[in-house]
Amino acid sequence: MKPISRDEDRLWEEHLYREEPDSDFTLKVMQKLDGVSIESGEEEHSFVKKSIRAHWLRRTGIAAAAVVILAGGACFAFDRTAEPAQPLVNAVDRLPLPNIPVPEALKYSYFADDYKRLKPLGLVVNPNIYINDQGYTLKIEDVLVDRSHMVMTMQQTTPDGLGLSRLLSELGRIHVTDEEGRQVATLARDTRTKDPLTERLLFQFHDEIPDQVIVRGELRNLNMGSYYNYEKKSYENRDVTVDWSFQFKIDMTQAKSLAVENSMDNTYTTPEGLKLDMTQLVRTPNGTRLDLNVSLDDELRAKVDEDWANYMSIIYHLEIPETNEYRIFNGIRPDSRQAKFRLQDLSELKNGGRLKLSETWDPALVTVDAKNIRFVLDGYTLPVKEEKSVEVDLEKRRKDKNFYAFAQFEQLGDEILFYDFEYEPVMESYDPPKIDVKKGYSLVLKGSGTFLNAFMGDRWVALDASGKEYPVEVIGYPDQPNNNGEYVEDDLQLKIRGFDEEKGTKFTLKREVVDREYRDVNWEVDLPSYSSLPWLK
């Protein structure tokens, strides 16, 4: 069998362990607010990770619900010459979902509707996996399968009955292969589930799928989290060794027969040198998937870091005249939504290859039987190396005026004004990982910002008088664009970790990487249609 590489473990960690809002709470709020128009959009970047929890505490309950209302969608007739006064909120999944019971493990998740679409078509598999080792149990039931994706729910409990979500350390040891052990699916992300949920895993199938697929897991080490050792007076991680090995087979013949695949050959290169290749459109009962390849020319490649593909995104909208649908995807725009499932396959980049990108649209946003879909590129974001700095002197702050700007930063159409500051203790659990400052105090600069660029993929550092660098965390979330297309954040904070009062009052604040939003694009594609959909026969 195929050995498990360190690269696979790293990929799983990047995809699964992200600090984000709690989806169970927001889902319940969304259900209560059915029919309420709320706009939201959120991209995930981790060059400089914002303190999401702190941001959410500052917002109202309605604002919290805005994140999950992404799944609701707005349906309105489009007119390129005029903005609609007030978009209607209405699901566009015109096919009524069957009134069937949903398993408890899926009932209160975003996958409840997916289950209702797939179960009557024979696309839900129950492998009946139940393992009990030392009281630690693993149960796998109700695997959702279509031609495009597989969703596997892993119910994990401790001897005292508590759940183990977010605590598995070896999820990279799960493979989806053919009978010879060749990988036939890649880990993807469900954008609707914002938690780092490790009990529900999403895989996207490759272009070639065998009739029989093997799902194999080799789970042995459970990370139970940290506990306080009173003898050593320190926190320590507690690990438990179990044997949670499993294997089951999935017959893919039905899933393959209930799909429509269209190959595509549409190419566009932006003025800055980013190339997009549309390769395939896949329709299944559970969503429509668009596959693209992304590459950079040599000049643009020289401006970005090696991990640029982790953070780039395309901004586009879909026009469907037949059903009066107009959908904006990605970015921070009015009524912007996220694809239901997203795959960013980086496997070819090591050899100078391309990024393989897939976006799958939920039937609640884009009807699966829609014809004459037009894809319109609106722009894209890409973190580029564009250094700019400003000298900050804390002694210039005016205490007699609430909003006196003692420092100002401008770059590429972005402007930040700082008018206040404070010091706060370093909080290890909420600050960005992989930095070496774990105690002491942080300087928090407070102000407001107006941005033409994507903002959350920026990377900042601070340098004291001796040239020592301090990591900077950005806290804030811009509102939707104003009439000038600018994103405004009136409660912006830059936290300089480890820079306390003893470090002095003067330092250099530098933005090293800018999450540029490029809007100079001109590309429209009429996506392939179909003659019939097999699951509607």
Side-chain angles (χ1 to χ4, degrees):
M1 291 186 178
K2 177 184 174 182
I4 296 165
S5 67
R6 292 180 179 271
D7 289 340
E8 276 189 86
D9 285 333
R10 178 188 59 78
L11 178 62
W12 280 77
E13 180 183 352
E14 289 178 357
H15 276 272
L16 294 172
Y17 293 96
R18 304 182 183 213
E19 180 188 357
E20 295 177 323
D22 181 84
S23 64
D24 291 334
F25 165 76
T26 51
L27 177 64
K28 294 174 183 177
V29 175
M30 181 188 71
Q31 292 170 338
K32 295 292 185 182
L33 294 177
D34 186 26
V36 178
S37 177
I38 301 176
E39 293 102 9
S40 176
E42 179 169 335
E43 277 303 299
E44 291 178 55
H45 302 287
S46 53
F47 267 135
V48 183
K49 189 173 183 180
K50 64 178 178 178
S51 176
I52 298 178
R53 296 186 187 181
H55 168 70
W56 273 51
L57 290 174
R58 294 197 303 267
R59 304 298 187 191
T60 66
I62 293 297
V67 176
V68 295
I69 214 74
L70 294 171
C75 183
F76 53 92
F78 62 86
D79 181 350
R80 293 194 185 187
T81 62
E83 290 292 331
Q86 187 156 2
L88 301 175
V89 173
N90 185 19
V92 298
D93 192 345
R94 293 179 291 153
L95 300 175
L97 296 176
N99 185 20
I100 59 177
V102 178
E104 197 68 23
L106 298 174
K107 184 180 297 184
Y108 302 107
S109 74
Y110 289 102
F111 292 95
D113 286 351
D114 297 355
Y115 178 90
K116 291 181 179 181
R117 294 188 189 101
L118 298 177
K119 179 65 173 179
L121 299 173
L123 299 182
V124 177
V125 178
N126 187 351
N128 289 314
I129 301 294
Y130 181 83
I131 304 173
N132 187 329
D133 187 354
Q134 308 167 64
Y136 295 89
T137 64
L138 171 68
K139 183 164 63 173
I140 302 176
E141 300 174 317
D142 301 309
V143 179
L144 311 183
V145 181
D146 63 14
R147 162 61 185 86
S148 189
H149 297 91
M150 180 192 80
V151 178
M152 182 172 64
T153 298
M154 304 173 61
Q155 301 178 61
Q156 315 145 32
T157 56
T158 63
D160 54 9
L162 297 177
L164 272 176
S165 72
R166 309 183 185 94
L167 297 180
L168 276 174
S169 60
E170 291 195 330
L171 288 178
R173 300 182 179 274
I174 297 176
H175 291 281
V176 183
T177 69
D178 61 15
E179 293 181 313
E180 283 73 44
R182 293 183 290 265
Q183 184 175 332
V184 298
T186 302
L187 180 71
R189 293 193 57 250
D190 170 28
T191 65
R192 304 166 305 174
T193 303
K194 294 296 184 177
D195 284 338
L197 293 175
T198 57
E199 75 268 23
R200 192 168 293 123
L201 305 178
L202 171 68
F203 292 87
Q204 180 170 305
F205 287 110
H206 297 170
D207 293 342
E208 299 294 330
I209 309 176
D211 289 341
Q212 302 297 320
V213 166
I214 306 298
V215 181
R216 173 174 56 90
E218 303 169 353
L219 309 180
R220 293 187 175 86
N221 297 317
L222 304 182
N223 187 322
M224 306 302 295
S226 61
Y227 72 99
Y228 189 76
N229 188 322
Y230 287 93
E231 293 183 0
K232 297 182 179 181
K233 296 182 179 180
S234 63
Y235 284 93
E236 298 180 1
N237 287 327
R238 181 174 47 154
D239 295 325
V240 175
T241 301
V242 297
D243 184 0
W244 274 4
S245 300
F246 65 86
Q247 180 172 306
F248 60 89
K249 182 180 292 188
I250 298 178
D251 187 333
M252 293 294 298
T253 55
Q254 177 76 346
K256 291 164 64 175
S257 68
L258 297 179
V260 176
E261 303 174 54
N262 297 101
S263 60
M264 301 179 64
D265 186 17
N266 299 81
T267 301
Y268 174 70
T269 301
T270 70
E272 294 80 16
L274 182 139
K275 183 180 180 181
L276 295 172
D277 293 307
M278 285 188 183
T279 61
Q280 185 175 218
L281 188 73
V282 181
R283 297 176 188 263
T284 76
N286 202 30
T288 304
R289 187 184 98 201
L290 178 65
D291 296 341
L292 308 96
N293 293 326
V294 184
S295 57
L296 311 180
D297 67 14
D298 292 340
E299 183 176 351
L300 184 57
R301 181 66 182 83
K303 296 181 180 179
V304 301
D305 287 339
E306 292 183 0
D307 54 357
W308 63 269
N310 285 304
Y311 309 103
M312 76 83 53
S313 66
I314 60 172
I315 304 171
Y316 61 94
H317 71 264
L318 302 179
E319 301 175 357
I320 311 176
E322 184 178 26
T323 53
N324 288 334
E325 296 175 44
Y326 185 100
R327 293 288 179 271
I328 304 171
F329 285 93
N330 307 330
I332 308 173
R333 303 283 176 89
D335 300 303
S336 178
R337 304 293 183 253
Q338 298 294 311
K340 171 182 180 177
F341 300 145
R342 179 174 294 129
L343 171 67
Q344 287 181 287
D345 185 352
L346 315 179
S347 59
E348 296 185 14
L349 290 176
K350 292 182 179 179
N351 300 320
R354 59 203 175 176
L355 164 68
K356 299 175 72 174
L357 178 66
S358 296
E359 300 229 330
T360 300
W361 309 310
D362 195 311
L365 293 180
V366 179
T367 48
V368 292
D369 60 342
K371 292 186 176 182
N372 304 318
I373 302 177
R374 179 179 293 115
F375 171 99
V376 181
L377 182 66
D378 295 316
Y380 61 97
T381 64
L382 189 67
V384 296
K385 292 177 283 188
E386 303 244 9
E387 288 194 4
K388 183 72 180 292
S389 62
V390 61
E391 301 299 320
V392 179
D393 185 353
L394 300 179
E395 293 183 343
K396 291 184 178 181
R397 180 184 64 169
R398 292 276 297 275
K399 295 183 179 181
D400 58 330
K401 293 186 178 182
N402 291 332
F403 299 103
Y404 176 82
F406 62 86
Q408 180 176 355
F409 178 88
E410 294 181 354
Q411 183 185 20
L412 299 171
D414 300 339
E415 181 181 25
I416 301 176
L417 300 175
F418 297 107
Y419 51 77
D420 200 3
F421 69 88
E422 67 180 7
Y423 296 94
E424 66 175 38
V426 170
M427 300 179 65
E428 182 176 355
S429 59
Y430 288 92
D431 279 319
K434 300 180 181 179
I435 55 180
D436 58 0
V437 182
K438 298 182 179 180
K439 59 182 180 179
Y441 282 80
S442 297
L443 171 65
V444 181
L445 298 175
K446 299 182 178 183
S448 62
T450 303
F451 301 88
L452 284 176
N453 296 292
F455 171 70
M456 289 316 303
D458 296 350
R459 186 169 64 206
W460 298 76
V461 296
L463 298 89
D464 63 16
S466 65
K468 180 181 177 180
E469 291 191 354
Y470 299 82
V472 178
E473 176 189 6
V474 180
I475 303 174
Y477 190 69
D479 295 326
Q480 67 184 37
N482 58 25
N483 292 334
N484 297 322
E486 301 166 325
Y487 309 126
V488 179
E489 171 54 55
D490 293 324
D491 187 15
L492 181 67
Q493 297 183 21
L494 266 64
K495 183 185 298 184
I496 305 175
R497 185 159 170 152
F499 192 95
D500 55 27
E501 295 182 82
E502 297 181 356
K503 303 299 189 300
T505 60
K506 297 181 180 180
F507 59 89
T508 301
L509 182 64
K510 180 167 64 175
R511 183 162 70 173
E512 297 181 322
V513 172
V514 182
D515 194 7
R516 290 289 303 273
E517 180 174 322
Y518 295 96
R519 309 183 191 188
D520 182 18
V521 295
N522 182 21
W523 192 37
E524 298 184 7
V525 178
D526 290 325
L527 302 181
S529 193
Y530 62 89
S531 58
S532 64
L533 296 175
W535 63 87
L536 297 182
K537 293 181 179 180

